[in-house]
Amino acid sequence: MGTIVDGQALPLALKSKKRKQAERKGISREKGIASCLFKYWRQRYSLFSRYDAGIKMDDEGWFSVTPEAIAASHAAHAASLSAAVVIDCFAGVGGNAIQFAARGFLVIAVEIDPRKVDYAVNNARVYGVKDRIEFVVGDFFSLAPFLKGDVVFLSPPWGGPSYSRIQTFTLDMLKPKDGYMIFQAAQKISPNIIMFLPRNVDLSQVEELSWLSCPPLALKIEENYMETSLKGITAYFGDTALVPSKSSLLKTDIS
Ligand code: MGP
Ligand code: SAH
């Protein structure tokens, strides 16, 4: 038996639920973070280990940023190639761009939302890599024909946290254009493409991206866990697929 509320005795489990709700509301108010984003705030140090050194986020940044260890593994993967320039086409608040820069790449970070670019610049400064990232405010699709790089990194919007309620996430659900169009635009830059996708993505469609390419591209698909929680799927195309990795789901070397 627990607390008495309105003359009713609350069971302990309910009391703890109410305590958690109150804690969530309190922290949300204090930090100016919407309460629906509280679960991401609790993961803040796995998103940015230097969070307390002045990291800045907006709402979309909270639920979209790639956890630091996963972004670092994307960068480590690319570092096995003799590549110098990475184009981060949907850079957000900088989670991936920072880790590529920390690995020594020159990064062109494209992001359509100027506020996120301000935050990404700030966050890159926190990690001491601002000078290795060129930030471009703009629409990736308009810029793609003019961009030059060795590796293209894609982590487009998945349509918000509700993506996880869908049984199978198909590539047409990616934003702001479907996955096939995003991939086509990326291929104008390089066939070495790394794509971070929802854990429930339709893998047969991801394979389709590789064999619909001309010539077909090597593909490796990797599951990305944080402890025991599956956070996303990374598809490595072209030369990036030929680098050995710890947990590949599938390796299709078509070329
Ligand atoms: P999640 O599934 O919303 O959170 O996002 P979590 O904590 O796994 O929740 P659970 O309760 O479902 O287990 C997991 C990770 O996916 C985030 O940390 C982001 O890296 C990534 N992610 C989520 N969304 C909605 C997006 C998105 O729209 N775009 C991109 N690029 N990444 C996203
Ligand atoms: N990998 C990033 C998160 C990317 S979320 C990180 O770790 O921080 C996807 C981002 O794509 C969002 O910030 C969104 O503003 C941006 N975006 C959406 N449409 C775009 C477009 N047409 N061109 C460039 N960026 C775009």
Side-chain angles (χ1 to χ4, degrees):
M1 202 69 82
T3 316
I4 308 286
V5 175
D6 293 339
Q8 303 274 326
L10 278 178
L12 275 176
L14 202 56
K15 183 184 164 195
S16 130
K17 200 173 160 198
K18 289 220 171 224
R19 195 177 342 102
K20 278 188 185 147
Q21 277 171 355
E23 184 200 8
R24 186 166 60 212
K25 276 193 189 142
I27 292 175
S28 298
R29 248 197 317 272
E30 188 190 318
K31 309 282 176 193
I33 298 166
S35 64
C36 59
L37 300 173
F38 183 69
K39 74 167 181 176
Y40 302 102
W41 180 82
R42 285 175 67 136
Q43 301 174 44
R44 62 199 177 284
Y45 299 113
S46 74
L47 302 179
F48 285 110
S49 59
R50 298 193 192 173
Y51 181 81
D52 288 343
I55 290 295
K56 289 188 180 165
M57 303 279 260
D58 65 358
D59 288 3
E60 189 179 8
W62 275 114
F63 63 72
S64 305
V65 63
T66 306
E68 186 168 298
I70 298 174
S73 87
H74 292 146
H77 217 93
S80 309
L81 309 175
S82 59
V85 180
V86 174
I87 315 283
D88 183 354
C89 308
F90 301 92
V93 294
N96 287 97
I98 288 169
Q99 294 305 317
F100 282 117
R103 270 273 167 179
F105 288 102
L106 171 67
V107 183
I108 313 288
V110 179
E111 166 58 51
I112 203 160
D113 175 357
R115 189 163 76 142
K116 284 196 188 57
V117 174
D118 283 349
Y119 289 176
V121 171
N122 169 82
N123 298 341
R125 199 178 290 122
V126 166
Y127 277 77
V129 296
K130 187 181 147 291
D131 294 345
R132 287 209 286 280
I133 308 179
E134 207 168 296
F135 293 93
V136 183
V137 182
D139 170 22
F140 165 62
F141 298 95
S142 314
L143 293 166
F146 308 103
L147 296 170
K148 296 208 184 317
D150 305 304
V151 173
V152 181
F153 181 77
L154 300 170
S155 64
W158 302 349
S162 60
Y163 84 89
S164 63
R165 294 200 290 271
I166 299 159
Q167 190 167 6
T168 304
F169 185 99
T170 51
L171 290 183
D172 59 300
M173 293 170 183
L174 287 175
K175 308 281 176 212
K177 295 190 183 182
D178 73 58
Y180 297 94
M181 293 177 84
I182 293 174
F183 197 75
Q184 235 175 29
Q187 280 184 298
K188 290 185 185 138
I189 307 169
S190 166
N192 304 323
I193 298 169
I194 304 176
M195 202 168 184
F196 188 51
L197 293 164
R199 58 188 172 226
N200 51 351
V201 70
D202 183 342
L203 291 179
S204 65
Q205 291 191 327
V206 180
E207 286 184 62
E208 222 171 55
L209 291 177
S210 68
W211 58 256
L212 284 179
S213 302
C214 187
L217 295 172
L219 166 67
K220 182 173 66 184
I221 294 174
E222 187 182 79
E223 289 181 314
N224 301 114
Y225 284 88
M226 294 294 290
E227 297 181 359
T228 54
S229 169
L230 180 57
K231 294 291 176 182
I233 297 276
T234 304
Y236 295 94
F237 297 90
D239 289 349
T240 70
L242 307 177
V243 177
S245 74
K246 286 180 203 149
S247 64
S248 36
L249 267 183
L250 163 101
K251 189 169 175 175
T252 326
D253 187 357
I254 300 171
S255 52

